[in-house]
Amino acid sequence: MNVNAIIEILIAVMVLAGTVLSLLSSLGFIRLPDVYTRAHAATKSVTLGILFILLGTFLYFWFVHGLISIRLLLGIVFVFLTAPVAGHLIIRSAYRSGVKLSDTSVKDELREDLKKATQLEKYHSREG
Amino acid sequence: MTLQILLNLVIGMVWMLLHDEWNMLTFTIGFLIGSIFIFALRRFFPGPFYGLKIWSIIKLLILFNVELVKSSLIVIGQITRPKLNIQPGIFKLETKLKSDWEIIMLTNLLALTPGSAVLEIAPQEGVMYIHAMDMAEFRHSIAKTKDLFEEAIIEVMR
């Protein structure tokens, strides 16, 4: 087995791994109970899947066509920058517009603190 | 630090001029030689050698990628379990980071680590509210990775 065959197998494994990761995380969208847990599936596994697919494509163009495409690497960087921000904004706006957590949730310290804060505000406004 | 980087670029340019070869390879050689000079003369500069900063950035990136792989495997393990058995929840964590940039970096990194997503930040009190996918399993591991990231970020930013 020569070097080229090994590299081709490596590329195939990377692209397949990325595809499987994306497939499994879309399975997560269906199975998970609420928007907050779905955001976990959307930000983590999908990002890793895209990383694998783009790296595989980068290696393919490099070794098979002798072409170093920096744009593919930049694609990875921008997905890494935007995916967590998008996930954070989605769950934050969901919480602010009052989307309920799933019934299996065990704790919500933010709600407790918000209640405390509003009680304090009421208390202060009464004094003033 | 900016001075050191600028000086290093100038040394690379001068090397390229002296050789009269206008390509990337000559510039890279000049840049490497310049960084050796700056490393040798580092005690005459006001700040520490800038290579240390680059090294800490590389360390942060490695740490981040390891955590990303771990978290994806954990999430997939949870999803593919035949009976979904998770107890999500929101808990708060205190952070010792102060400036906006440091908190943004920590938020971005935490969004891609095992079972955690940052829900709300209160920078005045230095408190972050984190949604965990499974409270029982992840609460302590999230606090631990947060400490790791904090140290790495402080090394990079300060």
Side-chain angles (χ1 to χ4, degrees), chain A residues 20-21 24-25 27-29 31-34 36-37 39-41 43-48 51-52 80-81 83-85 87-88 91-92 95-96 101-102 104-110 113-114 116, chain B residues 64-65 68-69 71-73 75-76 78-84 86-93 107-121 127 129 131-133 135-136 139:
Chain A
V20 168
L21 279 170
L24 285 177
S25 44
L27 190 70
F29 281 135
R31 294 200 64 198
L32 288 171
D34 61 354
Y36 305 101
T37 40
H40 286 273
T43 49
K44 290 183 239 303
S45 327
V46 170
T47 318
L48 196 68
L51 171 83
F52 271 125
F80 268 61
L81 281 179
V85 177
H88 169 60
I91 58 172
R92 185 176 153 173
Y95 198 91
R96 291 203 167 184
L101 278 88
S102 74
T104 48
S105 302
V106 286
K107 202 164 194 185
D108 190 348
E109 286 187 5
L110 179 54
D113 281 12
L114 282 177
K116 261 185 233 160
Chain B
F64 169 62
N65 275 310
L68 177 65
V69 171
S71 76
S72 295
L73 291 180
V75 168
I76 284 171
Q78 298 273 13
I79 291 169
T80 49
R81 216 176 268 176
K83 195 158 178 292
L84 209 58
I86 54 170
Q87 299 171 319
I90 297 169
F91 66 99
K92 64 178 171 185
L93 267 183
T107 320
N108 266 6
L109 293 177
L110 272 181
L112 295 173
T113 49
S116 64
V118 179
L119 190 67
E120 193 81 57
I121 309 160
V127 172
Y129 293 92
H131 183 269
M133 198 156 155
M135 284 288 275
R139 188 164 187 168

Side-chain angles (χ1 to χ4, degrees), chain A residues 2-20:
Chain A
N2 56 0
V3 182
N4 270 334
I6 295 174
I7 286 169
E8 269 174 25
I9 289 172
L10 182 73
I11 292 167
V13 166
M14 285 184 87
V15 174
L16 274 177
T19 322
V20 168

Side-chain angles (χ1 to χ4, degrees), chain B residues 90-103:
Chain B
I90 297 169
F91 66 99
K92 64 178 171 185
L93 267 183
E94 295 192 354
T95 171
K96 54 187 174 190
L97 299 178
K98 288 278 179 286
S99 75
D100 285 353
W101 278 104
E102 290 168 354
I103 290 178

